[in-house]
Amino acid sequence: MRHLNFPKTQPTYNPQEWTGVDPRYSHRLEVPTTAPIEARANQAQARRWHYLDNLPVLQQQGLESIGTVLCVHGNPTWSYLWRTVLDAGVNTENPWRVVAVDQIDMGYSERTHLDLEGERRSLEDRIADLGDFTRETGLDETKQPLVILAHDWGGLVSLGWALEHKSILSGVMLTNTAVYHDGIERIPAPLRLALSVHELGTKDSTAFLDVTLGLAQNRGRLPDPGTPGAAEAALAGPTVHQPRALYPYKLDEGIRRTYRAPYAHPAWREGIRNFVGDIPTGADIPSYEHMVRIAEGIRELKVPAFFQWGTKDPVFQRRYLFDLMRRMPQAKVHRYEKASHLLAEDYDIATPIFSWLGQNFGVLAEGTLQEPVNAEAAHRKARQELDHLHRGDTPITPDSGPY
């Protein structure tokens, strides 16, 4: 059966009002759903997704992408978090298609309003959701490199997807997230608070949203003058149904309003509530076993990895970074000592991302893809050859045999 439409409980959609976003990036698509919770609810056969995709702009500029970056946000943000990465992907030397999804019940994707007592959209469902999206958009059939980029609870979702799509996965990029909590140490205080005032703090009020945005250390990544989304109307941000912020903030007003716009009405914040309720704090939470499976599974991912981390984050603290580094020791790590949870607003993460992509997947020179130049690998090789010379050994060359 076709799902019911809730016009009064779906966020007002107007990309022209989003600060710093090229409206050409914004797309909506109906995607058949295979999420287990949808089968139990028997309410819908498809869900409407919103996502940002810079492919139309790449095509308009005659640029063929080297690969695709698939971006997955956490709670309570949306695809807006990745706007600078979308912009940075449109360049002549290192063009990449960047696709940033709004997870179901989040951002401008459909509010499902599922009526299942005691159930919520879980980690298992969200992994299935992302698989539905990549299948429907043809990303599952890509022959080019595909790299995931995730933040917050988007880390577990994207890595769960990655384990099911190893044949097309080329790399992993993460910012402030976690893949495992052992239950021995207490979860961070902000999450304990969110769980203790669950309904009141996440759905009935904007407290959880405001606290998250209040973690920003800077004004946010404002667009350059003259670029799409830099007009005064966009910088003013959406003004319809904007509740009063409950906490002080540093973010530019337009950026703050754009983040909050799809969550202005309590009915639009069900996803925020359900995300918090699904935090795998112990084995009694349904998502716990999936968290453990993913945390152990990523040890087998041998693809290149790059972590950028704001070390002032009170939620995803350094211990979660160290845990990830042990599970993926191949990762290159860039720490920002003055950044917090919203690293993408505090610092320019796009420039390091595309530098890393260029090192691992190559860049274009006069329209031809050049072999990747991995600076770390080159350094290790040079160091090895120098050590051989110091010992008086014969340097090892590709043509050297065993005799």
Side-chain angles (χ1 to χ4, degrees):
M1 61 179 290
R2 179 65 182 95
H3 67 271
L4 300 174
N5 191 21
F6 296 82
K8 294 183 180 179
T9 53
Q10 301 295 329
T12 305
Y13 174 75
N14 190 353
Q16 300 291 340
E17 291 185 336
W18 302 343
T19 297
V21 175
D22 188 331
R24 293 175 293 177
Y25 294 161
S26 182
H27 306 272
R28 293 193 287 183
L29 178 69
E30 192 166 276
V31 176
T33 177
T34 65
I37 194 172
E38 298 282 4
R40 293 193 294 273
N42 193 28
Q43 183 173 302
Q45 293 180 348
R47 292 297 182 188
R48 187 178 63 251
W49 286 70
H50 172 260
Y51 63 103
L52 300 178
D53 185 350
N54 66 2
L55 181 60
V57 181
L58 286 167
Q59 292 174 335
Q60 289 172 13
Q61 296 191 16
L63 298 172
E64 184 174 347
S65 63
I66 294 172
T68 299
V69 177
L70 176 63
C71 307
V72 185
H73 67 86
N75 185 31
T77 56
W78 52 287
S79 57
Y80 182 65
L81 179 75
W82 308 114
R83 64 192 183 279
T84 60
V85 183
L86 283 124
D87 287 340
V90 182
N91 71 83
T92 56
E93 292 185 357
N94 200 6
W96 280 71
R97 181 185 182 186
V98 180
V99 179
V101 300
D102 285 358
Q103 297 197 56
I104 294 296
D105 288 328
M106 304 292 287
Y108 288 90
S109 284
E110 184 172 350
R111 299 305 191 264
T112 59
H113 305 290
L114 291 178
D115 186 16
L116 290 175
E117 185 175 352
E119 288 199 59
R120 63 181 66 88
R121 207 170 204 89
S122 68
L123 174 59
E124 179 186 22
D125 297 308
R126 294 193 174 281
I127 294 170
D129 287 338
L130 189 58
D132 293 338
F133 176 84
T134 58
R135 181 174 55 254
E136 185 68 13
T137 53
L139 290 178
D140 284 4
E141 307 301 322
T142 184
K143 303 301 181 185
Q144 295 179 311
L146 190 149
V147 180
I148 58 172
L149 170 61
H151 173 252
D152 193 86
W153 297 113
L156 268 173
V157 174
S158 64
L159 289 168
W161 175 91
L163 292 177
E164 297 177 359
H165 293 78
K166 293 179 182 178
S167 62
I168 60 172
L169 182 72
S170 304
V172 171
M173 297 187 290
L174 300 173
T175 70
N176 292 64
T177 185
V179 295
Y180 184 67
H181 180 75
D182 58 18
I184 298 174
E185 293 190 68
R186 301 180 73 187
I187 63 172
L191 294 182
R192 293 201 303 273
L193 177 61
L195 287 167
S196 66
V197 293
H198 186 198
E199 191 81 16
L200 175 63
T202 57
K203 181 176 181 289
D204 294 344
S205 76
T206 60
F208 185 79
L209 175 61
D210 291 334
V211 168
T212 301
L213 297 179
L215 294 175
Q217 304 295 294
N218 299 312
R219 292 189 64 207
R221 311 310 298 174
L222 287 165
D224 294 329
T227 59
E232 289 186 8
L235 289 174
T239 58
V240 179
H241 304 303
Q242 279 296 319
R244 181 176 62 87
L246 300 180
Y247 298 92
Y249 56 89
K250 295 180 181 180
L251 284 175
D252 172 85
E253 177 66 8
I255 293 174
R256 184 188 71 87
R257 284 186 174 180
T258 306
Y259 269 120
R260 296 176 94 232
Y263 303 120
H265 191 281
W268 304 348
R269 294 195 291 269
E270 289 179 353
I272 296 178
R273 176 196 63 190
N274 293 340
F275 243 127
V276 170
D278 193 46
I279 295 174
T281 54
D284 58 325
I285 305 298
S287 289
Y288 186 84
E289 63 176 279
H290 297 288
M291 175 192 71
V292 174
R293 173 179 59 83
I294 294 166
E296 292 305 309
I298 65 172
R299 297 181 189 274
E300 305 304 317
L301 294 179
K302 303 305 181 183
V303 296
F306 180 33
F307 304 157
Q308 295 190 79
W309 213 272
T311 60
K312 292 177 66 176
D313 189 344
V315 180
F316 295 107
Q317 301 160 351
R318 294 175 192 242
R319 56 177 159 137
Y320 295 115
L321 170 61
F322 297 152
D323 176 67
L324 271 165
M325 291 169 64
R326 287 190 291 269
R327 296 175 191 275
M328 301 187 73
Q330 75 272 31
K332 179 179 180 180
V333 180
H334 190 159
R335 302 183 215 184
Y336 300 80
E337 300 299 331
K338 296 183 179 181
S340 185
H341 183 66
L342 293 176
L343 174 61
E345 297 299 341
D346 291 346
Y347 282 89
D348 169 21
I349 66 169
T351 298
I353 281 173
F354 283 89
S355 175
W356 180 84
L357 288 172
Q359 290 173 11
N360 285 277
F361 302 100
V363 296
L364 296 181
E366 298 182 354
T368 302
L369 183 64
Q370 304 298 303
E371 288 296 318
V373 178
N374 191 309
E376 291 184 10
H379 173 78
R380 286 194 297 270
K381 181 180 178 182
R383 182 74 260 178
Q384 183 184 42
E385 291 180 350
L386 186 61
D387 289 343
H388 280 297
L389 288 173
H390 283 168
R391 293 198 302 265
D393 299 338
T394 302
I396 299 175
T397 66
D399 296 326
S400 297
Y403 303 104

